[in-house]
Amino acid sequence: MDNVVIMDHPLIQHKISLLRDKNTGTNEFRTLVEEIAMLMGFEALRDLPTEEVEIETPIETCKTPFIAGKKLAIVPILRAGLGMVGGILHLVPTAKVGHIGLYRDPETHEPQEYYCKLPAPIEQRTIVVVDPMLATGGSGSDAIRMIKEHGGKNIKFMCIIAAPEGLKRLHEDHPDIQIYVGHLDRELNENAYICPGLGDAGDRIFGTK
Ligand code: PRP
Ligand code: URA
C-alpha cells in the first residue's frame, strides 16, 4: 500500500511485545507507549524540512541544518493518544499540541465526537495524529476528516497496533496521508477488539476499567 509504513525495527517490536503482556502494569505500560511513540516519531519525521543556519563552532564558522520553523502539531485522539504525545515532544519540544475527543460507542463501535481543539494556523503545519490502536479505523478516519475540515493538509497518522480492517479503511478514506504502524495484527474479534492486540489501550494507560 502506498503511504503506509509498517515498522520492522527490533526495538519497536520488543517494546510492543512487552505492551501486549497482560501482566505489564500501568506504570510500565505508559513508559513503553511513550518510548514506542518516540522511536516511531524518529521515522515519521524524517522528512521534516530543515534550513541552513550559520553558527560558530570552537574551530570555525559554518552553516549547519536546523529544523525549519516551529510548524509541527501533534494531535492525540483522546484518551489513549495522550500516552504518545510525550514521546514525540522529546524529539520536537517546540511542537504545538491539539486534541480530538472521540470514543467508540460500545454497541455500534462507531466513533462519537466530543472535543476538537487544534493549534492555528493548522493549514501551515505538519500534523501528526497519534492513537495507539487502529481497530475498525472509524476513530482515525473521523479524526483526519475533522482536521481536514479545519484546513489541515500535511497529515501523518501514527498507531502502535493496527488491524488489517482499520488500516484498509483509513487508507481508502484518506489515501493522501502517511500512515505509520508499529505492528499489523491478525484481525478484529466480534467486539471489534484487535487480536492478539493489547486490550483496551486507554484503560491500560490510565489504570481505569
Ligand atoms: C480506542 C483507541 C482508538 C479507538 C480505535 O479508543 O484508542 O481511539 O478505540 O478503535 P476504532 O479504530 O474501531 O475506532 P476508545 O474509543 O476506547 O476511547 P478511549 O481512548 O477514551 O478509551
Ligand atoms: N480500542 C482499543 O483500545 N483496543 C482495541 O483492541 C480496539 C479498540
Side-chain angles (χ1 to χ4, degrees):
M1 264 189 252
D2 288 347
N3 289 349
V4 176
V5 178
I6 313 269
M7 300 288 161
D8 57 3
H9 197 290
L11 281 177
I12 295 177
Q13 299 312 314
H14 177 83
K15 289 176 190 294
I16 291 176
S17 299
L18 293 170
L19 270 191
R20 293 186 192 278
D21 189 334
K22 67 178 184 183
N23 295 315
T24 296
T26 303
N27 190 20
E28 191 187 355
F29 194 91
R30 267 193 215 125
T31 303
L32 286 164
V33 167
E34 192 168 310
E35 287 173 350
I36 293 166
M38 186 170 74
L39 293 169
M40 291 183 67
F42 189 73
E43 173 62 28
L45 298 179
R46 67 160 54 248
D47 62 353
L48 271 188
T50 58
E51 61 189 350
E52 297 281 313
V53 177
E54 191 171 283
I55 59 148
E56 281 184 42
T57 77
I59 309 299
E60 62 178 32
T61 298
C62 70
K63 285 201 159 187
T64 190
F66 284 84
I67 302 292
K70 294 187 174 61
K71 294 277 193 286
L72 185 69
I74 308 164
V75 180
I77 302 178
L78 307 179
R79 292 174 301 166
L82 284 174
M84 299 174 72
V85 174
I88 302 179
L89 282 175
H90 283 311
L91 300 174
V92 187
T94 55
K96 301 288 190 280
V97 181
H99 296 88
I100 289 184
L102 293 171
Y103 70 91
R104 290 201 318 179
D105 181 287
E107 303 296 324
T108 65
H109 308 134
E110 286 299 316
Q112 310 295 315
E113 184 180 326
Y114 62 89
Y115 191 74
C116 181
K117 180 89 177 170
L118 301 173
I122 197 68
E123 60 278 3
Q124 291 173 21
R125 297 182 186 276
T126 297
I127 303 155
V128 184
V129 181
V130 291
D131 190 331
M133 309 305 276
L134 183 67
T136 65
S139 304
S141 183
D142 267 23
I144 307 284
R145 175 187 52 75
M146 289 160 71
I147 292 169
K148 286 181 174 174
E149 284 170 3
H150 282 77
K153 291 181 178 61
N154 181 13
I155 304 172
K156 298 166 187 281
F157 182 90
M158 256 176 59
C159 64
I160 296 179
I161 295 182
E165 298 89 329
L167 183 58
K168 181 168 181 290
R169 172 162 175 193
L170 188 63
H171 182 62
E172 283 176 2
D173 288 356
H174 302 287
D176 53 309
I177 69 160
Q178 288 280 346
I179 305 173
Y180 299 87
V181 178
H183 195 274
L184 184 60
D185 272 17
R186 194 178 69 246
E187 61 187 355
L188 295 177
N189 68 14
E190 62 284 5
N191 297 318
Y193 270 79
I194 301 174
C195 306
L198 50 71
D200 187 305
D203 283 344
R204 294 196 66 189
I205 290 171
F206 295 106
T208 48
K209 187 64 210 129

